[in-house]
Structures are given as C-alpha cells and as structure tokens.
Amino acid sequence: MNDIHDSFNPFMFSQWKWDHPQYLFGPKSLNYEFPEVRDYIYRILASFCTRFDLDGIELDWWRGPRAFPASWQGKPLTAAHLKMMNDLMRHIRIMTERVGEQRGRPLLVSVRTPMSVKTSLKLGFDLRTWLEEDLIDVLTVGGGYTPMAIVSSVRKIAKTAHRYGVPVYSTMSGSAMHADNWYGTGHGYYTVEA
C-alpha cells in the first residue's frame, strides 16, 4: 500500500508518482492525506477485483508503514487522519462485497499491519474499527527479516481479532532463516496461524 522500494530503484517508480510528485512525502511515500491518493489506490484495487477472478486481496500496510507525514515525523495523528483511512477501508469493503455478490462468492479482504493494535493506530491503521465494522476478513501481522510468530504481541492481537471471528497469521521471513540463499528457495514470506 506504500512500498518505497521504487525510491531507490527508479526503474520501478510508477508513472503516477512521476506525474504527481505533490502527493508524495519522505522517501517518495504516498501521502494518504490527499483524496487523490486514496482514490488512486481504490481504483487500482477495484480494477483488479473486477478484472480478475480473485479469492481476495491483501492490503499490505506493513511493508511501508507510512501513510501520513505526521507519523513519519514521529508526531501523533489526528482523528481526521483515522477517519480518512477508515473511510478508505469502508469504501474498499463496499466494493469487494459488491463484486462478491455479482460473482456469487465472497472476495476476501486481508490486511497486513504491525503486531499490535496500539502501534497500528499510531500509524493510522485503526484495527479496532476495522474489526468492529467487519471491514476485514483476515489479519496478517508483522514482517521484515526476523521470525515474528513468537512475539508476545502477536498472541495479544490474535486474541483481539479472534473475538470478531477474524483469523490472524503472523509473518515469518524465510529470507532471514536462509540468508545464504536469498534468491533461492529461502526468499519469501511465510505465515503461521496465530
């Protein structure tokens, strides 16, 4: 949802980012404060959901956990920031439900976030609201290059999500476990049900 690998790999830089630098901040991250950015992301997701026979989509908020300049600068977010992101999630959920109804089977929404409700909220990802309003079907937590399935916060966030019937998967990076085989079978992420 906001990966910045294109910031140091210019050949990966999207045409949309080239055309709209005013909507970027920090290391060329998308600034979700702008309705244009939220609409751009929504249109990408809607395009995939309507053009392809998908089982679901994963919104990876952890890969680049920066949606707003304030959190990037270590400043607190406002209620307005949370409303922006919650409204985007609601919009996505309405679209996936509509597509699911049209094709006669559900289109699941999965999100990947930091490993705690509190940390997620500080970054603009209001997991409690997403769970309470049934905006997500699956929660994957954590990432990076260390095995995270054993972190105690995973058990806590899993307990919270399970109250809403949402399964939780914790990310373990295969690349850290097989560092000598980065581009071989060891490269990639694995998930473990929590």
Side-chain angles (χ1 to χ4, degrees):
M1 298 300 285
N2 216 354
D3 190 1
I4 57 160
H5 278 81
D6 59 5
S7 68
F8 50 87
N9 290 316
F11 69 91
M12 296 172 66
F13 209 64
S14 75
Q15 188 61 50
W16 196 87
K17 283 186 173 182
W18 283 116
D19 293 344
H20 303 285
Q22 70 274 24
Y23 300 136
L24 307 178
F25 72 96
K28 298 184 176 75
S29 297
L30 295 171
N31 184 348
Y32 281 80
E33 289 177 345
F34 290 102
E36 294 85 353
V37 169
R38 298 189 305 274
D39 182 61
Y40 168 67
I41 292 298
Y42 173 83
R43 286 185 288 113
I44 291 172
L45 295 171
S47 174
F48 274 92
C49 290
T50 55
R51 292 173 46 216
F52 301 102
D53 186 23
L54 306 174
D55 292 319
I57 55 175
E58 181 182 63
L59 311 178
D60 186 351
W61 295 109
W62 178 240
R63 184 65 178 170
R66 44 186 83 72
F68 302 108
S71 62
W72 173 250
Q73 298 161 354
K75 298 176 183 173
L77 296 180
T78 66
H81 289 111
L82 297 178
K83 183 178 183 328
M84 289 175 211
M85 198 59 72
N86 289 342
D87 286 347
L88 174 61
M89 291 299 296
R90 290 177 186 117
H91 200 44
I92 292 167
R93 181 55 143 194
I94 290 167
M95 178 270 296
T96 59
E97 287 186 348
R98 184 184 68 244
V99 171
E101 286 173 13
Q102 289 170 351
R103 69 181 192 176
R105 66 184 176 88
L107 179 62
L108 302 178
V109 176
S110 175
V111 295
R112 185 170 167 219
T113 67
M115 292 176 292
S116 79
V117 172
K118 183 177 179 181
T119 300
S120 295
L121 189 62
K122 284 182 182 179
L123 296 170
F125 317 128
D126 187 358
L127 280 176
R128 234 177 253 292
T129 296
W130 298 358
L131 291 165
E132 288 172 359
E133 294 186 14
D134 191 31
L135 301 179
I136 61 174
D137 300 297
V138 178
L139 173 61
T140 302
V141 294
Y145 300 113
T146 56
M148 297 295 184
I150 58 174
V151 178
S152 62
S153 63
V154 171
R155 289 188 293 276
K156 187 174 180 181
I157 200 169
K159 186 177 178 181
T160 300
H162 289 166
R163 284 197 296 264
Y164 297 92
V166 173
V168 177
Y169 296 88
S170 179
T171 303
M172 295 192 319
S173 172
S175 55
M177 292 180 232
H178 305 285
D180 59 331
N181 195 12
W182 176 260
Y183 292 104
T185 59
H187 184 64
Y189 289 95
Y190 305 94
T191 56
V192 175
E193 189 167 4

